[in-house]
């Protein structure tokens, strides 16, 4: 099995099932430069906007970044907005893969950058766009795009290649930085965070212009479809979802893989190809905003949106993560819940307060909190659902609720107090430590401590709420209202400062109750004899 607690490499090993589309030429070179790319794929003729939208509709091309929005409809919306406003649109390639379990777009950008640029330039020319942006998160992807721009004569300093100016937008390696609105905000010179308001990029995106934004695989699929045509493209895969799919496999596998498979291939075959356990406890589908399915569903499901959805799974961002019987699935999920809580943009209550509270609630359940802890967790998760300024809270809640529904036997074992008896092996990949010390998700882990108020002393000064508003808010009566959650480690210093600043000495931090010690075997035997 793969190494535990180790981040995925930028470019995992790549495997192709059937005839390759996106991975054509990978057996010839580690990276296809422009000359090799043209030898493998051949030239690509320009296409008008109407023909390109029709092509995307005929091959049922959906966005491959997770949302699955029809690309043809998005293309038409940008074209209409540009015509109505008389403003040249902008085309954006979103290869900001900030999710630790996803590498398919990184593989495409690093190994086949010109296939991605083919699709993006095809769309740009069809729309009459003057600007092409490529958003990246990693040094390796930035270097590959820089080289590809140079090979094509694309530059930001002067317009050279068919009237199109191109540049790279660097975003941090964070979950929320890959959301479309965060990429657009970064392209406009702001932080790579969702702006907190819902705006349609097709109407107003980069520099206020209509913007066509999709991920790297979508543009690569568009380039393949334009070369093959709808009939040849549809010969691969299932009729309602033709073509191939790129998947990232990690977790309990022999080694992480990026796999290109025709849609409709049995999921069990793909898992077997990666060296997953023959009968996994569960498979996380769609990545860390996705859903768990059990071993029976993994055996019967196929690689398609429709099939996975029928078993309660999702294709999402194309990540598949099986776990074996040797690890505690709830402990594995708690690691991910802590990471998701640390990835918050900190711009709305459901994200800033709800996700740490949910992670703390899952920790309470694992530590013997009983049925009350489980009900509190469900209440916190439902309260965060559908109320966020971006999609991160919804995706995180989907993952948490799926965990509770998928591993009911383990959940019962923890609720009854004994636990499942298995350690947490750490098979689900997360980022490693950075130069500032522990990884963000480790700093966001709940400490087990809770804030408490002695109401006989509290005088409603409100100083505590100014120090740590993530955990304390003032009610309508001016007195503090405390979040019913453990104090995350990264908020512990401010929680301690709030305690020190309370002039009435009413605020305190309560330590978690000590776990009951297991009875000594000999003494237990003596009691039974008596």
């Amino acid at each position: 099995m793969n190494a535990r607690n180790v981040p995925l490499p930028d470019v995992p090993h790549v495997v192709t099932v059937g005839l390759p589309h996106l991975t054509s030429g990978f057996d010839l070179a580690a990276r296809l430069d422009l000359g090799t790319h043209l030898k493998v794929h051949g030239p690509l003729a320009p296409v008008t906007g109407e023909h390109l939208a029709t092509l995307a509709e005929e091959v049922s091309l959906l966005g491959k970044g997770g949302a699955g929005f029809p690309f043809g409809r998005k293309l038409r919306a940008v074209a209409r907005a540009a015509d109505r406003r008389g403003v040249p649109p902008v085309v954006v390639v979103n290869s900001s893969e900030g999710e630790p379990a996803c590498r398919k777009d990184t593989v495409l950008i690093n190994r086949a950058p010109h296939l991605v640029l083919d699709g993006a330039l095809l769309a740009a020319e069809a729309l009459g766009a003057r600007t092409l942006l490529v958003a990246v998160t990693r040094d390796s992807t930035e270097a590959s795009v820089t080289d590809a721009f140079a090979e094509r004569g694309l530059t930001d300093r002067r317009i050279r290649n068919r009237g199109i100016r191109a540049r790279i937008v660097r975003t941090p390696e964070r979950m929320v930085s890959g959301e479309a609105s965060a990429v657009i905000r970064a392209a406009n010179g702001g932080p790579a965070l969702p702006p907190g308001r819902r705006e349609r990029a097709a109407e107003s995106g980069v520099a206020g212009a209509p913007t066509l934004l999709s991920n790297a695989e979508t543009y690569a699929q568009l380039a393949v479809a334009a070369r093959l045509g709808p009939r040849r493209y549809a010969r691969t895969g299932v009729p309602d979802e033709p073509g191939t799919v790129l998947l990232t496999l990690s977790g309990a596998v022999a080694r992480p893989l990026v796999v290109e498979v025709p849609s409709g291939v049995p999921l069990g075959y793909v898992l077997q190809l990666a060296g997953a356990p023959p009968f996994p406890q569960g498979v996380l589908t769609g990545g860390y905003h996705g859903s768990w399915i059990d071993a029976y569903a993994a055996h019967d499901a196929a690689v398609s949106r429709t099939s996975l959805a029928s078993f309660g799974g999702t294709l999402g961002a194309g990540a598949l993560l099986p776990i074996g019987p040797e690890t505690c699935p709830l402990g594995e999920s708690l690691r991910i819940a802590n990471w998701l809580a640390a990835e918050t943009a900190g711009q709305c209550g459901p994200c800033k307060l709800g996700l740490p509270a949910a992670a703390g609630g899952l920790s309470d359940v694992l530590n013997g909190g009983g049925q009350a802890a489980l009900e509190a967790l469900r209440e916190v998760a439902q309260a965060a659902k559908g109320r966020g300024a971006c999609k991160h809270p919804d995706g995180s809640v989907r993952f948490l609720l799926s965990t509770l529904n998928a591993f009911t036997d383990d959940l019962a074992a923890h609720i009854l107090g004994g636990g499942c008896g298995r350690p947490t092996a750490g098979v689900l990949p997360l980022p490693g430590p950075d130069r500032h010390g522990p990884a963000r998700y480790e700093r966001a882990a709940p400490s087990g401590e809770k804030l408490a108020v002695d109401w006989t002393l509290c005088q409603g000064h409100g100083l505590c709420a100014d120090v740590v508003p993530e955990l304390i808010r003032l009610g309508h009566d001016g007195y503090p209202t405390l979040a019913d959650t453990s104090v995350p480690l990264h908020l512990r210093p401010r929680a301690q400062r709030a305690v020190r600043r309370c002039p009435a000495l009413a605020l305190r931090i309560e330590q978690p109750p000590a776990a009951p010690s297991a009875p000594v075997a000999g003494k237990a035997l003596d009691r039974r004899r008596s």
Side-chain angles (χ1 to χ4, degrees):
M1 294 299 170
N2 65 311
R4 304 306 193 241
N5 296 299
V6 175
L8 297 186
D10 281 9
V11 183
H13 184 64
V14 178
V15 174
T16 303
V17 176
L19 293 176
H21 284 182
L22 305 174
T23 58
S24 292
F26 279 23
D27 57 333
L28 302 176
R31 178 186 180 275
L32 277 64
D33 60 18
L34 183 58
T36 308
H37 164 74
L38 291 175
K39 289 178 182 178
V40 170
H41 292 282
L44 184 60
V47 181
T48 65
E50 179 59 32
H51 282 104
L52 193 62
T54 301
L55 171 67
E57 291 165 350
E58 288 179 342
V59 300
S60 302
L61 181 59
L62 304 178
K64 305 295 183 178
F69 192 83
F71 185 81
R73 192 188 308 173
K74 185 184 295 186
L75 193 67
R76 292 183 189 277
V78 173
R80 286 195 299 269
D83 288 343
R84 185 178 67 254
R85 296 176 54 193
V87 177
V90 176
V91 172
V92 179
V93 178
N94 183 9
S95 55
S96 296
E97 273 187 322
E99 183 170 345
C102 294
R103 288 295 185 272
K104 64 185 182 68
D105 282 1
T106 302
V107 164
L108 280 175
I109 291 289
N110 282 27
R111 298 201 60 183
H114 291 287
L115 189 64
V116 177
L117 291 180
D118 274 351
L121 289 170
L122 200 66
E125 292 181 5
L127 291 168
R130 303 285 182 84
T131 303
L132 169 65
L133 306 180
V134 180
V136 300
T137 55
R138 300 180 175 88
D139 292 339
S140 61
T141 50
E142 183 175 8
S144 182
V145 174
T146 299
D147 291 344
F149 280 179
E151 290 162 7
R152 285 181 179 257
L154 292 164
T155 177
D156 188 33
R157 293 183 177 85
R158 53 187 176 141
I159 296 175
R160 292 170 57 189
N161 188 304
R162 293 168 288 186
I164 295 176
R165 186 188 300 266
R167 66 181 174 94
I168 296 171
V169 177
R170 185 67 185 260
T171 60
E173 194 172 339
R174 295 195 59 187
M175 187 77 161
V176 295
S177 299
E179 185 166 312
S181 61
V183 171
I184 291 173
R185 194 176 180 189
N188 286 333
L193 296 173
R197 60 186 182 277
R198 303 293 176 91
E199 291 185 351
R200 294 184 64 219
E203 293 289 336
S204 178
V206 176
T211 299
L212 177 70
L213 184 146
S214 203
N215 78 313
E217 185 189 349
T218 307
Y219 287 112
Q221 294 280 9
L222 183 67
V224 170
R227 283 184 168 93
L228 295 179
R231 289 186 180 179
R232 287 180 59 197
Y233 186 91
R235 291 176 186 171
T236 301
V238 293
D240 56 337
E241 298 179 39
T244 63
V245 180
L246 273 186
L247 303 169
T248 309
L249 283 96
S250 61
V253 295
R255 61 173 172 174
L257 295 177
V258 168
V259 183
E260 182 181 11
V261 299
S263 62
V265 166
L267 178 60
Y269 174 77
V270 178
L271 295 172
Q272 181 183 8
L273 191 68
F279 200 75
Q281 275 195 90
V283 179
L284 181 57
T285 62
Y288 294 159
H289 277 176
S291 303
W292 290 98
I293 59 175
D294 61 24
Y296 298 101
H299 178 271
D300 294 336
V303 178
S304 75
R305 293 181 182 275
T306 302
S307 177
L308 285 170
S310 69
F311 289 97
T314 177
L315 187 59
L320 298 173
L321 301 101
I323 59 171
E326 75 287 346
T327 188
C328 172
L330 299 180
E332 292 287 346
S333 297
L334 177 59
R335 294 175 63 247
I336 306 308
N338 287 332
W339 178 80
L340 290 169
E343 290 298 288
T344 170
Q347 299 180 136
C348 68
C351 210
K352 190 176 183 180
L353 301 175
L355 297 189
L362 183 57
S363 177
D364 291 342
V365 170
L366 264 67
N367 290 325
Q371 187 66 31
L374 177 60
E375 293 304 319
L377 170 57
R378 291 189 185 276
E379 184 177 345
V380 167
Q382 290 292 351
K385 188 176 181 181
R387 297 174 54 235
C390 68
K391 298 176 182 177
H392 183 54
D394 285 355
S396 302
V397 167
R398 182 186 306 114
F399 167 79
L400 275 167
L401 294 179
S402 171
T403 299
L404 300 181
N405 294 330
F407 302 109
T408 53
D409 290 345
D410 295 271
L411 192 62
H414 283 278
I415 289 175
L416 293 175
C420 66
R422 288 170 293 179
T424 299
V427 297
L428 302 182
L430 285 172
D434 56 30
R435 65 180 182 275
H436 302 297
R440 281 193 305 272
Y441 71 93
E442 293 174 341
R443 297 196 292 270
S447 64
E449 301 170 335
K450 288 190 175 184
L451 286 170
V453 174
D454 185 337
W455 297 109
T456 65
L457 298 176
C458 182
Q459 299 175 17
H461 292 97
L463 298 179
C464 55
D466 293 334
V467 177
V468 60
E470 295 89 343
L471 299 174
I472 306 173
R473 293 187 177 184
L474 294 183
H476 296 298
D477 57 359
Y479 283 82
T481 300
L482 306 186
D484 186 20
T485 181
S486 298
V487 178
L489 292 178
H490 73 291
L491 293 179
R492 190 178 183 187
R494 283 201 280 149
Q496 292 172 333
R497 189 159 66 249
V499 170
R500 292 193 298 268
R501 286 192 61 183
C502 179
L505 303 180
L507 187 66
R508 66 182 184 273
I509 295 179
E510 293 184 340
Q511 299 299 318
S517 56
V520 179
K523 293 183 179 179
L525 185 61
D526 291 342
R527 285 196 298 269
R528 287 196 299 270
R529 286 174 178 171
S530 62

Short mmCIF file of all heavy atoms in Angstrom, two decimals, residues 2 33 76 79 101 111 119 123 125 152 161 193 237 245 275 297 317 326 353 360 415 444 489 505 520:
data_model
loop_
_atom_site.label_atom_id
_atom_site.label_comp_id
_atom_site.label_asym_id
_atom_site.label_seq_id
_atom_site.Cartn_x
_atom_site.Cartn_y
_atom_site.Cartn_z
N ASN A 2 0.26 2.38 -0.39
CA ASN A 2 1.03 3.61 -0.49
C ASN A 2 1.43 4.10 0.90
O ASN A 2 0.85 3.74 1.91
CB ASN A 2 0.21 4.70 -1.20
CG ASN A 2 -1.00 5.11 -0.41
OD1 ASN A 2 -1.76 4.26 0.05
ND2 ASN A 2 -1.21 6.39 -0.25
N ASP A 33 6.31 18.74 -25.82
CA ASP A 33 6.48 20.11 -26.28
C ASP A 33 5.63 20.32 -27.52
O ASP A 33 4.93 19.41 -27.98
CB ASP A 33 7.96 20.42 -26.53
CG ASP A 33 8.59 19.52 -27.59
OD1 ASP A 33 7.84 18.89 -28.37
OD2 ASP A 33 9.83 19.43 -27.62
N ARG A 76 -22.23 29.61 -24.82
CA ARG A 76 -23.27 30.47 -25.41
C ARG A 76 -23.58 31.67 -24.51
O ARG A 76 -23.80 32.78 -24.99
CB ARG A 76 -24.54 29.66 -25.65
CG ARG A 76 -24.42 28.59 -26.73
CD ARG A 76 -25.76 27.89 -26.95
NE ARG A 76 -25.64 26.73 -27.81
CZ ARG A 76 -25.62 26.77 -29.14
NH1 ARG A 76 -25.71 27.95 -29.75
NH2 ARG A 76 -25.52 25.67 -29.85
N ALA A 79 -20.88 34.25 -24.97
CA ALA A 79 -21.01 34.89 -26.29
C ALA A 79 -22.15 35.91 -26.30
O ALA A 79 -21.99 37.02 -26.84
CB ALA A 79 -21.23 33.82 -27.36
N ALA A 101 -6.23 15.41 -2.86
CA ALA A 101 -6.50 14.13 -3.49
C ALA A 101 -6.62 14.22 -5.00
O ALA A 101 -6.90 13.21 -5.64
CB ALA A 101 -7.78 13.52 -2.91
N ARG A 111 2.25 17.53 -18.39
CA ARG A 111 2.67 16.59 -19.42
C ARG A 111 2.09 16.90 -20.79
O ARG A 111 2.71 16.56 -21.81
CB ARG A 111 2.30 15.16 -19.00
CG ARG A 111 2.99 14.72 -17.70
CD ARG A 111 3.02 13.22 -17.58
NE ARG A 111 3.73 12.59 -18.69
CZ ARG A 111 3.84 11.28 -18.86
NH1 ARG A 111 3.30 10.45 -17.98
NH2 ARG A 111 4.50 10.78 -19.90
N GLY A 119 -7.59 23.65 -26.65
CA GLY A 119 -9.00 23.87 -26.36
C GLY A 119 -9.29 25.29 -25.92
O GLY A 119 -10.29 25.88 -26.33
N ALA A 123 -11.57 28.09 -28.02
CA ALA A 123 -12.69 28.84 -27.45
C ALA A 123 -12.45 30.34 -27.55
O ALA A 123 -13.38 31.11 -27.84
CB ALA A 123 -12.89 28.43 -25.99
N GLU A 125 -10.68 32.05 -29.76
CA GLU A 125 -10.85 32.52 -31.14
C GLU A 125 -12.32 32.49 -31.54
O GLU A 125 -12.80 33.39 -32.25
CB GLU A 125 -10.01 31.66 -32.09
CG GLU A 125 -8.51 31.86 -31.89
CD GLU A 125 -7.69 31.02 -32.84
OE1 GLU A 125 -8.29 30.36 -33.72
OE2 GLU A 125 -6.46 31.02 -32.71
N ARG A 152 4.64 28.76 -28.10
CA ARG A 152 3.58 29.23 -29.00
C ARG A 152 3.71 30.72 -29.32
O ARG A 152 2.92 31.24 -30.12
CB ARG A 152 2.22 28.99 -28.36
CG ARG A 152 1.77 27.53 -28.39
CD ARG A 152 0.40 27.38 -27.76
NE ARG A 152 -0.07 26.01 -27.79
CZ ARG A 152 -0.99 25.54 -28.65
NH1 ARG A 152 -1.52 26.35 -29.56
NH2 ARG A 152 -1.38 24.28 -28.58
N ASN A 161 0.40 36.24 -30.88
CA ASN A 161 -0.19 35.04 -31.44
C ASN A 161 -1.66 35.28 -31.75
O ASN A 161 -2.51 35.23 -30.87
CB ASN A 161 -0.02 33.88 -30.46
CG ASN A 161 -0.46 32.55 -31.07
OD1 ASN A 161 -1.58 32.42 -31.51
ND2 ASN A 161 0.45 31.59 -31.07
N LEU A 193 -9.57 34.19 -2.91
CA LEU A 193 -10.64 33.75 -2.03
C LEU A 193 -11.97 34.11 -2.67
O LEU A 193 -12.07 35.12 -3.38
CB LEU A 193 -10.54 34.43 -0.66
CG LEU A 193 -9.30 34.13 0.18
CD1 LEU A 193 -9.28 35.02 1.41
CD2 LEU A 193 -9.26 32.67 0.58
N GLY A 237 -16.81 5.14 -24.63
CA GLY A 237 -17.64 5.44 -23.47
C GLY A 237 -19.10 5.09 -23.67
O GLY A 237 -19.49 4.50 -24.68
N VAL A 245 -12.54 9.58 -19.18
CA VAL A 245 -12.56 10.29 -17.90
C VAL A 245 -11.17 10.19 -17.29
O VAL A 245 -10.55 9.11 -17.31
CB VAL A 245 -13.61 9.69 -16.94
CG1 VAL A 245 -13.62 10.44 -15.62
CG2 VAL A 245 -14.99 9.70 -17.57
N GLY A 275 -4.45 -1.30 -7.33
CA GLY A 275 -3.99 -2.09 -6.21
C GLY A 275 -4.75 -1.83 -4.93
O GLY A 275 -4.19 -1.95 -3.83
N ALA A 297 -21.33 -1.30 -3.41
CA ALA A 297 -21.57 -0.29 -4.44
C ALA A 297 -20.35 -0.13 -5.33
O ALA A 297 -20.47 0.03 -6.55
CB ALA A 297 -21.94 1.05 -3.79
N ALA A 317 -14.73 15.87 -8.64
CA ALA A 317 -13.46 16.29 -9.21
C ALA A 317 -12.62 15.12 -9.70
O ALA A 317 -11.44 15.29 -10.01
CB ALA A 317 -12.67 17.07 -8.16
N GLU A 326 -7.99 -2.07 7.81
CA GLU A 326 -7.05 -1.92 8.92
C GLU A 326 -7.14 -0.57 9.62
O GLU A 326 -6.51 -0.36 10.65
CB GLU A 326 -5.60 -2.12 8.42
CG GLU A 326 -5.02 -0.96 7.62
CD GLU A 326 -5.60 -0.82 6.22
OE1 GLU A 326 -6.25 -1.77 5.75
OE2 GLU A 326 -5.39 0.23 5.60
N LEU A 353 -17.18 29.39 11.54
CA LEU A 353 -17.58 28.81 12.81
C LEU A 353 -18.13 27.40 12.66
O LEU A 353 -17.85 26.53 13.47
CB LEU A 353 -18.65 29.69 13.47
CG LEU A 353 -18.26 31.14 13.77
CD1 LEU A 353 -19.46 31.90 14.30
CD2 LEU A 353 -17.11 31.20 14.74
N GLY A 360 -15.02 19.50 15.47
CA GLY A 360 -15.00 19.24 16.91
C GLY A 360 -16.08 18.27 17.33
O GLY A 360 -15.87 17.42 18.22
N ILE A 415 -20.07 5.39 19.59
CA ILE A 415 -21.11 6.00 20.43
C ILE A 415 -21.29 5.21 21.71
O ILE A 415 -21.50 5.78 22.80
CB ILE A 415 -22.43 6.09 19.65
CG1 ILE A 415 -22.33 7.15 18.55
CG2 ILE A 415 -23.60 6.41 20.58
CD1 ILE A 415 -23.54 7.22 17.65
N ALA A 444 -5.66 23.47 12.98
CA ALA A 444 -7.10 23.68 13.15
C ALA A 444 -7.78 22.55 13.91
O ALA A 444 -8.96 22.61 14.16
CB ALA A 444 -7.77 23.83 11.78
N LEU A 489 -7.00 24.40 17.80
CA LEU A 489 -5.66 24.72 18.29
C LEU A 489 -5.18 26.08 17.81
O LEU A 489 -4.49 26.80 18.54
CB LEU A 489 -4.67 23.62 17.85
CG LEU A 489 -4.86 22.25 18.51
CD1 LEU A 489 -3.86 21.26 17.96
CD2 LEU A 489 -4.75 22.34 20.02
N LEU A 505 -13.43 38.10 35.65
CA LEU A 505 -12.90 36.74 35.86
C LEU A 505 -13.99 35.68 35.69
O LEU A 505 -14.00 34.64 36.36
CB LEU A 505 -12.27 36.61 37.26
CG LEU A 505 -11.15 37.60 37.59
CD1 LEU A 505 -10.63 37.35 39.00
CD2 LEU A 505 -10.03 37.53 36.57
N VAL A 520 -7.72 -3.09 34.56
CA VAL A 520 -6.60 -4.03 34.54
C VAL A 520 -7.15 -5.46 34.48
O VAL A 520 -8.10 -5.80 35.18
CB VAL A 520 -5.72 -3.85 35.79
CG1 VAL A 520 -4.57 -4.85 35.77
CG2 VAL A 520 -5.21 -2.42 35.85
#
